[in-house]
Amino acid sequence: MDFRLKVFYTVALRLNFTKAATELYISQPAVSKHIQELEETYKTKLFERNGSKIALTPAGEILLKHTKNIFEIYREIDFDMSSFINERQGLLRLGASTTISQYIISPVLARFHQKQKEIKVNLLNGNTEQIENALINKEIEIGIVEGQSKNQSIKYIPFLKDELVLVCNTKNPLVKQHKIALGDLKEMKFITRERGSGTLEVIEYALKQLNVKFTDLQIEMQLGSTESIKSYLLNSDCFAFMSIHAVSNELKNNELIVLDVESLSIERYFYIITLVGKSDSLSELFIQNLSSYYNLKL
């Protein structure tokens, strides 16, 4: 493997020479030297420099595309060849949206590591939109997300059933009500995830089917993680729609409580996502482990 391409790839992803140098354990002048050599080889600029900021040139964009493909082939070669010595090796780049990475995937990763100690797993955490973009940009091989955007270049495999429930602090005055009417939702204050969250999209769609506009709800705050929402709920009289997987401990400890909403049931699937027409042995091995852990047929 040409180390200069690895340097270029790291700089192109980070768009920062200093960060690339730190990540590669080399000096910044060495990073600059490798980039300069590549630019001399191809007789064109790969980066536009504007003070401390850099950006890829059109030639740099093309080289990045080819470099991603080259590294993907190297990754597959390492894994496939290692199988001949009964020692699976390689790097699996996995992406998972917030709820899944925090509450679903950890035990699977632990068991996978016990079985395949020589396989390194990098886990990228983000919302559904960010994970899908990472897959399309070939920054990861597999994603596990909370929503289905129906992107034509992505294959969606239903993975695990989930339910979104309305929860609040057990000391909230509305806990005394047997059931929440749909009309009451407009009078309540909510904490939600940020735009791009698969959870938020599912909630909006479910409410729309009952002629309740999400924009009619009083959104007190948007927070970027499930944990921050739970913490906010424990210290306020607000409400939130959350995955039942995410609040299981708080329900057991009687810190949060589920409220039934008239005519509203929000069920969804978590999805394994891969690029259409793209499969490799390492990704298939991980998906097999994932399905066996949850006794699923994928």
Side-chain angles (χ1 to χ4, degrees):
M1 184 187 299
D2 189 334
F3 186 69
R4 294 177 304 175
L5 285 180
K6 188 171 184 180
V7 173
F8 165 77
Y9 179 75
T10 308
V11 174
L13 290 184
R14 303 288 173 261
L15 292 178
N16 187 298
F17 278 62
T18 304
K19 289 180 180 178
T22 302
E23 189 170 323
L24 294 167
Y25 300 102
I26 60 176
S27 67
Q28 189 171 330
V31 170
S32 300
K33 181 174 179 292
H34 286 302
I35 298 300
Q36 185 181 351
E37 287 177 1
L38 281 175
E39 290 180 330
E40 289 173 356
T41 298
Y42 297 118
K43 296 180 174 58
T44 186
K45 275 190 170 186
L46 300 173
F47 294 98
E48 292 288 356
R49 296 162 177 83
N50 183 9
S52 60
K53 295 182 179 179
I54 63 170
L56 283 164
T57 63
E61 295 280 5
I62 290 173
L63 184 59
L64 177 59
K65 177 184 174 182
H66 288 304
T67 303
K68 284 180 179 179
N69 291 334
I70 289 169
F71 287 166
E72 196 169 333
I73 291 169
Y74 270 114
R75 192 183 65 83
E76 291 180 26
I77 290 172
D78 288 343
F79 180 72
D80 289 340
M81 296 308 292
S82 69
S83 65
F84 286 101
I85 56 173
N86 297 318
E87 191 177 271
R88 298 281 193 176
Q89 294 180 338
L91 169 65
L92 176 65
R93 298 174 304 170
L94 178 68
S97 52
T98 309
T99 300
I100 293 163
S101 64
Q102 288 180 322
Y103 310 106
I104 304 295
I105 202 68
S106 294
V108 180
L109 291 177
R111 193 176 82 156
F112 185 72
H113 178 69
Q114 288 172 357
K115 289 184 173 182
Q116 309 290 343
K117 287 187 168 55
E118 299 304 315
I119 295 175
K120 183 179 179 184
V121 179
N122 285 353
L123 177 63
L124 173 69
N125 180 30
N127 63 35
T128 294
E129 183 180 13
Q130 291 166 336
I131 298 304
E132 288 187 348
N133 287 336
L135 182 69
I136 292 168
N137 293 327
K138 296 185 176 180
E139 294 166 14
I140 58 174
E141 283 76 49
I142 306 173
I144 309 176
V145 296
E146 302 162 35
Q148 186 179 15
S149 69
K150 295 182 172 63
N151 188 306
Q152 295 300 310
S153 62
I154 295 177
K155 179 181 179 183
Y156 294 86
I157 307 168
F159 160 49
L160 193 64
K161 200 170 187 179
D162 183 35
E163 182 182 5
L164 294 173
V165 293
L166 181 66
V167 295
C168 68
N169 192 315
T170 50
K171 297 174 184 175
N172 192 300
L174 281 185
V175 168
K176 297 175 184 177
Q177 288 190 206
H178 180 64
K179 184 171 281 192
I180 304 295
L182 280 173
D184 293 340
L185 294 177
K186 297 178 183 179
E187 308 302 320
M188 298 156 63
K189 292 183 179 180
F190 287 87
I191 306 300
T192 69
R193 287 285 306 282
E194 77 290 353
R195 288 287 165 188
S197 159
T199 297
L200 190 59
E201 289 179 4
V202 172
I203 294 166
E204 286 184 284
Y205 180 79
L207 291 174
K208 186 179 179 182
Q209 303 310 300
L210 297 172
N211 297 315
V212 177
K213 292 182 180 178
F214 185 79
T215 50
D216 289 341
L217 302 185
Q218 298 181 50
I219 309 302
E220 180 162 313
M221 196 170 296
Q222 289 186 330
L223 297 174
S225 77
T226 305
E227 286 299 309
S228 58
I229 291 177
K230 288 196 292 185
S231 180
Y232 198 103
L233 289 178
L234 292 172
N235 292 280
S236 74
D237 282 337
C238 288
F239 301 82
F241 286 102
M242 304 188 76
S243 165
I244 194 72
H245 293 287
V247 295
S248 58
N249 286 336
E250 286 75 17
L251 295 178
K252 287 176 186 174
N253 295 333
N254 202 34
E255 295 172 317
L256 296 178
I257 190 169
V258 173
L259 298 178
D260 289 330
V261 181
E262 174 191 9
S263 305
L264 182 65
S265 175
I266 311 178
E267 293 184 340
R268 64 173 177 180
Y269 275 94
F270 295 139
Y271 292 89
I272 296 169
I273 58 172
T274 59
L275 289 177
V276 170
K278 184 66 185 170
S279 180
D280 63 84
S281 305
L282 182 48
S283 295
E284 289 174 0
L285 179 65
F286 182 78
I287 291 173
Q288 287 170 10
N289 275 263
L290 195 61
S291 60
S292 66
Y293 183 87
Y294 285 104
N295 295 314
L296 304 171
K297 293 181 179 179
L298 300 178

